[in-house]
Amino acid sequence: MKNLKLKAARALKDMSQEELAKQVEVSRQTINAIENGDYNPSINLCINICRVLGVTLNDLFWSQE
């Protein structure tokens, strides 16, 4: 399932996939794969992404279903 919440949070910060990837020390392809639902990141990577974007784990990674 695509992670549109991650993409939206990144867009709110006016941040490219490349910029986010550099700040959390992964490749742009990793961020792209997370957004496309092709990769489940580690909890540590999730936490780092949330810190950079200024959101909570629930905001980005908890399903509302």
Side-chain angles (χ1 to χ4, degrees):
M1 177 166 53
K2 288 191 177 200
N3 191 330
L4 299 177
K5 293 186 273 185
L6 173 54
K7 188 173 185 175
R10 186 174 53 74
L12 281 173
K13 291 282 189 174
D14 197 29
M15 187 177 283
S16 69
Q17 287 181 345
E18 184 70 33
E19 291 167 327
L20 177 57
K22 284 181 183 178
Q23 289 197 33
V24 298
E25 299 180 342
V26 297
S27 69
R28 184 204 55 80
Q29 290 85 351
T30 298
I31 299 300
N32 185 58
I34 295 168
E35 288 183 1
N36 286 327
D38 297 329
Y39 177 72
N40 289 321
S42 69
I43 188 67
N44 288 332
L45 179 52
C46 291
I47 290 168
N48 288 339
I49 289 169
C50 288
R51 280 192 188 129
V52 169
L53 295 177
V55 296
T56 68
L57 285 169
N58 286 346
D59 292 337
L60 293 188
F61 298 104
W62 187 261
S63 175
Q64 297 297 324
E65 299 173 1

